[in-house]
Amino acid sequence: MRSAARDGHSAFSGLTPYQGAINDKFADYFKAAGFDVAAMLGIPIDFKRRYDLSREEICSHIKNAFQSHRNVDGIYLLSPGGWRIVDVIEAEHDLDVPIIHPVAAGIWSVLKHLGVPHPIKGSGRLLEQFP
């Protein structure tokens, strides 16, 4: 079992298709909101290639990010840029850690606001374990 951060929020690592100081700004945003951010990492690719990543590349980037910060409670993928849900689900199962995909999070939010507690099997932990 992974430990929760000292303020009650779960610690997470973020992964983005961006490079440089912008990732620090993303991390600062979440920290200001009270989250424990272990890292906000940019994947080392040409930004123009972000939509052309193969399933293997996506899983590899996610797994590499997790390997460098294994004590996190989850991984947050910032921006829908190139992350396909089916690819993320594979990495989530392999790593046994929740991975928050921006499209899945949007679906979750809409269902929650509409009061439709509808778990969606085969769509990752967030949607499978709908509260």
Side-chain angles (χ1 to χ4, degrees):
M1 175 188 247
R2 300 180 201 292
S3 62
R6 63 191 172 282
D7 60 4
H9 291 284
S10 296
F12 73 92
S13 285
L15 193 58
T16 81
Y18 307 103
Q19 299 297 312
I22 188 77
N23 290 319
D24 295 334
K25 291 182 188 237
F26 294 139
D28 291 344
Y29 169 83
F30 284 106
K31 289 174 184 175
F35 290 94
D36 185 358
V37 181
M40 189 64 70
L41 307 168
I43 59 174
I45 62 161
D46 178 0
F47 186 72
K48 294 175 186 172
R49 270 201 70 229
R50 70 190 182 282
Y51 294 110
D52 300 327
L53 297 174
S54 69
R55 174 177 291 203
E56 292 77 23
E57 288 175 301
I58 290 169
C59 287
S60 176
H61 288 301
I62 292 170
K63 289 175 183 179
N64 288 340
F66 181 71
Q67 294 302 324
S68 62
H69 297 89
R70 295 188 64 79
N71 293 329
V72 297
D73 299 295
I75 299 170
Y76 171 71
L77 302 177
L78 187 134
S79 169
W83 319 112
R84 290 174 296 275
I85 292 176
V86 294
D87 301 331
V88 170
I89 292 168
E90 180 180 320
E92 185 177 66
H93 286 137
D94 288 350
L95 298 174
D96 193 31
V97 64
I99 299 175
I100 306 302
H101 185 283
V103 174
I107 292 168
W108 182 92
S109 178
V110 169
L111 291 174
K112 183 170 173 77
H113 281 84
L114 293 175
V116 181
H118 182 69
I120 303 171
K121 296 293 180 199
S123 298
R125 285 190 198 178
L126 182 64
L127 294 173
E128 286 179 353
Q129 300 173 1
F130 199 90

